[in-house]
Amino acid sequence: MPSSLCEALTNSSISFDYQKEDDWITSGKLGSREAVLVFRTNILNPKIRKTLSEKSSAQVLTDTKDNEEEAVECQEKLEQKESTSSEPSSKDSLSGSTQQKIFLLKKPQQCDKSDKLTFSSPFKKILNRYSSSDTSISSEGEEPASSSENKSRVLKTSQNNINIKLAADLSKESGYESTAPAKSISNTVVSEEDPEVTSEDDDESGTNMPASKLKITYKFHQTETKLLRKLFNVHGLTEVQGENNNFNLLWTGVHMKLDIVRNLAPYQRVNHFPRSYEMTRKDRLYKNIERMQHLRGMKHFDIVPQTFVLPIESRDLVVAHNKHRGPWIVKPAASSRGRGIFIVNSPDQIPQDEQAVVSKYIVDPLCIDGHKCDLRVYVLVTSFDPLIIYLYEEGIVRLATVKYDRHADNLWNPCMHLCNYSINKYHSDYIRSSDAQDEDVGHKWTLSALLRHLKLQSCDTRQLMLNIEDLIIKAVLACAQSIISACRMFVPNGNNCFELYGFDILIDNALKPWLLEINLSPSMGVDSPLDTKVKSCLMADLLTCVGIPAYSPEMRSHYDQKWSRFRSSSCQRQATFPCASQKTKKSKKKGPAINLNLTGEEQRILRNARLQYSRRGGFVRIFPTDDSMQRYGNFLDSANGIPISTPNVQSQTFQTPIIQHNYNQMLHQNLYSKDGRQKQEDNSEADRIWQYERALETDSEIPFVKKPTVEKCEVEGRRLRKVMLKKISNGSELTPFQARQTFSIYLESVLRRLTEDPKDNHEKIILKFLNKFGGSIKPPVMFRNMQNIKVASKARSAMVAKLLGDFLENYKRDTEAYVDSFDHFGMIPSSAYNQFLMHAQESDLEAVLTLHTNVTGIMPFLYNRCGLSVPPTPPIPSGLHGFLRALPSMVSSTGINRELSKYDGYFKSFDKEKIFL
Ligand code: ADP
């Protein structure tokens, strides 16, 4: 059996042109089950990628030879494994050479105290995130920024710091600018940030990388993360699509279907846990935490603002309001990005039938230079039993554009009260930092910059971060029980699932953190160099930490066979109690001490935890820590270590056929034993705080590249407009796809004008249109009547623009269902029409839409031709903005929803909150 694996290895003649394979593979030699890929941010930089690929052709030969030798080693190792169950071997243990090569270089946190002192500038210096030992590579990097950067620069605009107008970017972001009509609209869960970056024309295929030679694959499902795609590509992973489930890593934007989870092989990884909506749905999260408040005491779980789910708890809300008056913040239960949120002074301002989550509004938020801010921190859970939680060392601070004023008159103003980027980016005063080093400039900062800023003001940042860690752990504990039982039922292997959660945290002016929500699939969109830096490092570290097994297809089939044998006996696995035969023999090899009393499964867990910790990059493990059992042990079941959130759970869920293990206790004991043996892990409170406060710094610049765009030619646009108008007059029609393309590019122009040059009456028209249109883009109650917002202002324009932006996003997604693969008789040929769209200005688009509507009497951009309830087409006045003025009268408030619902099913699954479990 082992020989087949080694045959597979030798037959595949793997050689690596970049560098030695152990720079790109870690935790074990190639061929071992522990070997995983290494991801680094430095090869996102095309210059460095080129250097890497040029420098090492001479290594190919040696590496090929090395690999043959390794195949033999691998065979020996597998044989040993067979005989010693899951006992770790020295070759791929932490003390092994492979590890040392990588990790000696890597960790500032592994420096001793004197090292720390010499680290004068507070950088999270990461040496390429898994840097190679090749200094020529890092010398390509940026100059380290001076410590003077540490000084506070609150919301200043500098020469470097330009207010990049959204308007200037919008047309560039439009997928329709491309001449390829069908594929230009992305089939995505759209992120909070503008997904505009990261396409370059240099080679991104990573063909020389180990992952390419090993044919490691990834699959995206209902998500599109350009940054992630690029990371995969440059590291040599290839994409599989469609029904092909032969992936190593599945990255989905929604919760997973059970049949996929159930059939995962040991080498496959997916980026969600089953039932994690227990954490990521606002209503579920609050209910879970509320239960813990009742069970464990309010003082331990006072981590969320008081919350009610309407309409069920309307009465409780009124009672609470009578005790402590508002304001209250009203959020749709299954929504995100600030959509549909409004603030009221009293519950009677909330419509009776509103299905919403209503929370006590925190009126005294921490402000920076007078602007309200909140935090997005990234939390990685690699296992729920045992619980292993990491917090990424860097996070993002989002600032509201308008200065905070708690006076009730301002409650309508989303750019003052909500910190979402997707709202504030439409405000014409919104400032983006234009340099990755500017971490405390404009309306988006880094967490470390905030901490340094607060420290300068003598705030207790240590306590703040400890409270944030505590809040995260408690939120996970509150939701874990149900997720653990789903994992036990559906997840076949301990390492199949991992999940990165985006925690939104508001800090009040007493520095108490409050959990607002937990995001499933936090946005990896990047809109500035700062975003690119933080998210690239985050993603590279995430992939390395969770570990994508370095299996070749040949090795995979070997494990597949083994897996099917294992699966057929998997029912017994859970019911089996540890017995003497499972205890492993004493290891003769060096490496971390092995506790002889551990079962094979426990040894695997311990070994994985250690290896993962050694690959953690910028992730800070916050559970388990030295004192975690002391602090949280009371919330865990004393017998099996499961976080308990229901009083009678022991008798119901976890006891009967399942073994009485206590993985949390076992792991803690072995990682942090105090019984005379050497402490295994160094993850002290001081280390963690120090890591949060340092600025994130990469050795090589991570490029922030905007999409290349085709320059529009006004004259050509006018010429083509005439051609199109003539065709329409002669009886040609736009296909529904062309009509929808035209309408969305037209609305993008309107959106641009709303932010550049707001016009009161245009805002009203758009609101009226969206109000009649309904659906999820309906304006929040307070804004449905423009008269409620008396003053025309930049904030009001931003709010209308945000609503229109949300509408457009959905509309473009829906348009994909209309793509034509060939030209129809009597319709305008697609190639000619695409030429027109490429150069058309707003007036050209308006002229075409107007004539087409008047001549044909149909509105294919809003209604399906054979729909049942299409309202009569109103006459469209010609002339400037005539089409816009007629827009609200084109919508029948009842008809459109029915019409569009035809396509609802197609896109339903894009809803971030869609639940499969
Ligand atoms: P979404 O998922 O739509 O982004 P959030 O719960 O994150 O909704 O809230 C959006 C914004 O509203 C946050 O950025 C925060 O600034 C503000 N916010 C939310 N809840 C509260 C609250 N209870 N008190 C004060 N501000 C809040």
Side-chain angles (χ1 to χ4, degrees):
M1 184 278 304
S3 63
S4 67
L5 172 62
C6 291
E7 263 166 38
L9 254 177
T10 350
N11 290 343
S12 61
S13 321
I14 295 160
S15 64
F16 304 113
D17 300 13
Y18 267 103
Q19 293 176 304
K20 286 198 171 146
E21 114 282 327
D22 54 6
D23 282 329
W24 297 102
I25 290 173
T26 185
S27 290
K29 295 276 183 184
L30 187 65
S32 75
R33 261 171 260 189
E34 284 78 12
V36 297
L37 301 177
V38 168
F39 290 80
R40 299 195 188 96
T41 54
N42 64 336
I43 62 165
L44 286 174
N45 187 327
K47 278 188 222 148
I48 293 194
R49 203 152 61 239
K50 197 156 171 274
T51 318
L52 280 167
S53 61
E54 280 168 3
K55 70 177 274 296
S56 59
S57 52
Q59 281 178 354
V60 180
L61 288 173
T62 19
D63 287 346
T64 313
K65 187 165 161 279
D66 283 353
N67 277 301
E68 278 161 14
E69 282 161 15
E70 271 151 21
V72 177
E73 281 180 46
C74 145
Q75 177 168 353
E76 282 166 12
K77 195 164 59 181
L78 278 169
E79 278 160 2
Q80 285 159 11
K81 271 180 194 277
E82 287 294 301
S83 65
T84 59
S85 180
S86 56
E87 177 188 335
S89 69
S90 70
K91 281 196 179 82
D92 52 0
S93 73
L94 277 178
S95 56
S97 59
T98 309
Q99 291 298 322
Q100 278 173 355
K101 264 184 206 160
I102 294 174
F103 296 110
L104 279 178
L105 278 161
K106 192 183 68 69
K107 290 280 184 294
Q109 67 265 37
Q110 289 169 351
C111 305
D112 63 21
K113 297 279 180 230
S114 57
D115 285 337
K116 287 179 190 174
L117 292 174
T118 58
F119 232 88
S120 59
S121 183
F123 296 132
K124 302 178 204 294
K125 191 74 180 169
I126 40 188
L127 300 168
N128 288 335
R129 326 295 294 180
Y130 289 85
S131 175
S132 79
S133 50
D134 185 341
T135 48
S136 69
I137 296 168
S138 50
S139 69
E140 287 265 352
E142 295 166 47
E143 291 278 300
S146 75
S147 58
S148 64
E149 283 204 347
N150 203 11
K151 69 181 185 295
S152 167
R153 289 178 294 174
V154 184
L155 281 178
K156 274 187 321 210
T157 31
S158 67
Q159 277 188 327
N160 283 344
N161 173 25
I162 41 166
N163 180 1
I164 304 167
K165 289 250 191 297
L166 164 91
D169 298 343
L170 273 171
S171 65
K172 296 176 191 171
E173 290 165 26
S174 158
Y176 297 132
E177 289 225 344
S178 150
T179 44
K183 297 293 169 202
S184 58
I185 310 164
S186 62
N187 185 9
T188 62
V189 170
V190 182
S191 56
E192 168 125 41
E193 281 75 18
D194 300 332
E196 64 188 29
V197 187
T198 73
S199 166
E200 286 165 33
D201 42 21
D202 70 311
D203 178 26
E204 290 178 6
S205 61
T207 40
N208 288 327
M209 298 294 280
S212 169
K213 311 266 170 184
L214 293 167
K215 298 195 171 50
I216 306 279
T217 56
Y218 67 93
K219 180 173 177 175
F220 279 135
H221 177 62
Q222 297 192 354
T223 186
E224 164 63 63
T225 306
K226 287 182 184 168
L227 174 66
L228 204 49
R229 184 185 292 282
K230 182 157 183 166
L231 260 177
F232 290 148
N233 291 348
V234 297
H235 284 87
L237 284 81
T238 41
E239 188 174 7
V240 294
Q241 286 173 331
E243 293 306 298
N244 186 348
N245 280 337
N246 195 11
F247 54 79
N248 292 72
L249 172 65
L250 171 66
W251 195 274
T252 111
V254 292
H255 296 284
M256 291 168 308
K257 289 184 180 151
L258 279 184
D259 60 325
I260 296 188
V261 183
R262 275 203 194 100
N263 291 307
L264 290 169
Y267 54 84
Q268 292 186 303
R269 300 284 178 268
V270 290
N271 69 329
H272 294 294
F273 285 94
R275 270 193 216 152
S276 64
Y277 58 80
E278 291 288 346
M279 289 169 72
T280 58
R281 262 192 75 107
K282 289 186 178 79
D283 48 354
R284 296 299 313 148
L285 175 71
Y286 286 119
K287 285 287 132 204
N288 285 327
I289 292 176
E290 194 181 57
R291 233 185 12 236
M292 288 301 251
Q293 291 173 343
H294 292 312
L295 194 68
R296 306 285 177 193
M298 185 68 184
K299 71 170 187 228
H300 294 300
F301 280 83
D302 186 20
I303 55 174
V304 284
Q306 189 180 20
T307 296
F308 300 92
V309 179
L310 301 193
I312 301 170
E313 296 175 333
S314 309
R315 276 166 165 258
D316 301 334
L317 171 63
V318 174
V319 174
H321 179 71
N322 291 337
K323 255 196 215 161
H324 305 286
R325 305 249 127 197
W328 300 89
I329 182 163
V330 187
K331 310 173 189 179
S335 185
S336 61
R337 299 193 284 146
R339 272 183 293 210
I341 296 184
F342 58 100
I343 304 163
V344 293
N345 253 322
S346 147
D348 54 27
Q349 293 169 306
I350 308 169
Q352 292 281 308
D353 56 345
E354 195 85 356
Q355 294 217 337
V357 171
V358 180
S359 300
K360 188 97 191 133
Y361 188 69
I362 293 164
V363 286
D364 49 359
L366 174 72
C367 290
I368 303 177
D369 198 27
H371 295 252
K372 176 176 173 177
C373 65
D374 69 10
L375 300 184
R376 160 64 55 87
V377 294
Y378 299 97
V379 174
L380 169 65
V381 178
T382 56
S383 159
F384 275 89
D385 183 24
L387 191 57
I388 303 183
I389 312 175
Y390 298 87
L391 168 59
Y392 199 59
E393 60 184 346
E394 195 58 286
I396 304 256
V397 183
R398 303 169 304 186
L399 281 77
T401 333
V402 177
K403 281 200 175 189
Y404 188 73
D405 176 353
R406 56 182 286 182
H407 197 277
D409 280 357
N410 298 312
L411 287 182
W412 70 271
N413 191 340
C415 293
M416 176 189 289
H417 291 280
L418 312 185
C419 304
N420 301 71
Y421 168 74
S422 58
I423 292 176
N424 286 283
K425 71 177 180 184
Y426 290 109
H427 198 290
S428 48
D429 291 344
Y430 186 83
I431 297 166
R432 288 177 174 91
S433 83
S434 57
D435 186 325
Q437 305 302 324
D438 288 342
E439 297 192 5
D440 55 358
V441 170
H443 294 98
K444 199 180 265 189
W445 288 23
T446 57
L447 170 63
S448 59
L450 175 72
L451 294 175
R452 295 192 298 273
H453 169 79
L454 292 175
K455 215 168 183 180
L456 283 178
Q457 300 182 347
S458 310
C459 296
D460 188 350
T461 50
R462 178 188 149 277
Q463 195 54 51
L464 172 64
M465 284 315 296
L466 291 179
N467 289 344
I468 288 177
E469 288 184 350
D470 182 61
L471 171 152
I472 293 167
I473 293 166
K474 284 178 173 162
V476 177
L477 289 175
C479 306
Q481 186 184 320
S482 166
I483 300 174
I484 291 170
S485 59
C487 289
R488 285 185 173 177
M489 273 188 279
F490 306 118
V491 183
N493 301 279
N495 286 335
N496 282 145
C497 300
F498 65 92
E499 188 146 1
L500 182 74
Y501 299 100
F503 275 60
D504 285 351
I505 294 171
L506 186 80
I507 304 169
D508 66 21
N509 65 3
L511 286 195
K512 176 175 167 54
W514 295 93
L515 177 61
L516 300 182
E517 69 159 340
I518 301 176
N519 288 276
L520 172 91
S521 304
S523 158
M524 285 302 133
V526 285
D527 79 308
S528 65
L530 182 68
D531 250 355
T532 314
K533 180 174 75 171
V534 173
K535 291 176 182 171
S536 308
C537 293
L538 168 72
M539 275 297 139
D541 286 354
L542 172 90
L543 294 168
T544 311
C545 180
V546 299
I548 312 299
Y551 286 0
S552 69
E554 294 86 350
M555 293 150 75
R556 261 187 249 167
S557 58
H558 165 80
Y559 283 112
D560 278 342
Q561 283 162 20
K562 194 165 160 35
W563 173 226
S564 47
R565 286 204 302 278
F566 170 71
R567 276 175 65 81
S568 59
S569 60
S570 63
C571 304
Q572 296 151 21
R573 185 175 64 117
Q574 288 193 339
T576 311
F577 284 77
C579 60
S581 62
Q582 283 179 299
K583 317 269 179 202
T584 52
K585 291 174 201 161
K586 186 174 180 176
S587 169
K588 287 178 196 138
K589 298 171 188 301
K590 283 181 204 162
I594 293 166
N595 185 337
L596 296 181
N597 295 320
L598 300 184
T599 64
E601 180 65 358
E602 285 169 337
Q603 288 198 23
R604 185 194 65 77
I605 289 172
L606 177 59
R607 178 179 170 72
N608 269 335
R610 284 190 171 131
L611 288 174
Q612 194 177 75
Y613 185 77
S614 68
R615 303 192 297 261
R616 69 196 180 279
F619 281 98
V620 177
R621 196 171 67 205
I622 59 172
F623 194 101
T625 55
D626 199 8
D627 61 353
S628 55
M629 290 313 268
Q630 201 184 324
R631 290 165 66 93
Y632 304 101
N634 279 347
F635 307 137
L636 308 178
D637 182 272
S638 55
N640 58 27
I642 302 292
I644 298 300
S645 51
T646 48
N648 52 355
V649 67
Q650 274 171 291
S651 56
Q652 284 180 3
T653 326
F654 289 108
Q655 256 197 349
T656 20
I658 295 168
I659 51 167
Q660 278 299 322
H661 58 242
N662 189 330
Y663 292 150
N664 278 319
Q665 202 171 49
M666 178 279 297
L667 192 59
H668 188 269
Q669 259 169 12
N670 282 280
L671 296 179
Y672 298 101
S673 58
K674 297 268 188 333
D675 59 355
R677 260 176 288 153
Q678 197 197 347
K679 204 169 142 185
Q680 303 288 352
E681 306 278 336
D682 177 24
N683 192 25
S684 70
E685 184 184 297
D687 279 353
R688 302 199 304 271
I689 303 300
W690 178 74
Q691 203 170 339
Y692 300 132
E693 287 179 357
R694 292 171 301 159
L696 192 65
E697 190 68 13
T698 50
D699 270 12
S700 61
E701 198 178 335
I702 301 170
F704 173 78
V705 185
K706 296 219 166 202
K707 255 191 203 164
T709 50
V710 185
E711 277 296 309
K712 284 191 187 238
C713 170
E714 207 177 320
V715 181
E716 182 64 356
R718 237 175 284 144
R719 186 186 73 78
L720 291 168
R721 159 185 167 168
K722 278 191 195 146
V723 175
M724 290 306 138
L725 292 179
K726 200 164 169 203
K727 281 185 190 291
I728 293 168
S729 305
N730 290 340
S732 291
E733 283 185 26
L734 297 180
T735 63
F737 180 62
Q738 288 167 341
R740 293 180 68 99
Q741 276 183 301
T742 317
F743 188 55
S744 67
I745 302 175
Y746 171 71
L747 286 185
E748 274 175 0
S749 294
V750 174
L751 175 57
R752 200 155 43 236
R753 278 195 294 102
L754 284 182
T755 52
E756 264 177 351
D757 174 26
K759 282 204 174 58
D760 198 24
N761 56 340
H762 289 184
E763 286 172 18
K764 282 185 183 151
I765 291 170
I766 294 296
L767 266 192
K768 207 165 163 194
F769 167 69
L770 295 175
N771 245 332
K772 284 180 91 180
F773 187 84
S776 61
I777 308 302
K778 218 176 172 106
V781 182
M782 287 177 70
F783 308 132
R784 291 187 196 158
N785 182 358
M786 240 355 197
Q787 310 315 320
N788 286 347
I789 311 161
K790 293 175 193 82
V791 200
S793 64
K794 290 175 181 176
R796 189 181 83 179
S797 311
M799 187 205 70
V800 179
K802 153 80 176 152
L803 290 169
L804 183 56
D806 287 346
F807 168 82
L808 262 169
E809 190 186 301
N810 286 359
Y811 184 84
K812 284 197 225 171
R813 246 187 246 156
D814 290 356
T815 298
E816 193 169 327
Y818 293 82
V819 168
D820 290 306
S821 43
F822 53 87
D823 288 337
H824 297 266
F825 179 72
M827 303 293 194
I828 297 177
S830 57
S831 58
Y833 202 72
N834 288 334
Q835 277 299 107
F836 164 67
L837 289 181
M838 241 167 71
H839 296 290
Q841 312 278 326
E842 186 181 329
S843 56
D844 304 321
L845 300 162
E846 190 173 51
V848 166
L849 285 169
T850 302
L851 184 71
H852 189 269
T853 313
N854 285 337
V855 168
T856 60
I858 54 171
M859 299 174 284
F861 44 89
L862 285 179
Y863 296 96
N864 196 4
R865 184 191 273 272
C866 49
L868 296 172
S869 50
V870 180
T873 306
I876 316 287
S878 54
L880 194 63
H881 306 318
F883 185 82
L884 189 65
R885 282 199 298 277
L887 194 55
S889 53
M890 294 183 211
V891 187
S892 99
S893 34
T894 49
I896 189 124
N897 289 336
R898 228 176 302 154
E899 278 303 302
L900 293 178
S901 67
K902 180 169 178 268
Y903 293 96
D904 273 4
Y906 185 87
F907 291 104
K908 226 189 310 196
S909 47
F910 283 99
D911 184 348
K912 113 175 184 165
E913 302 299 341
K914 175 136 172 68
I915 293 161
F916 285 92
L917 291 177

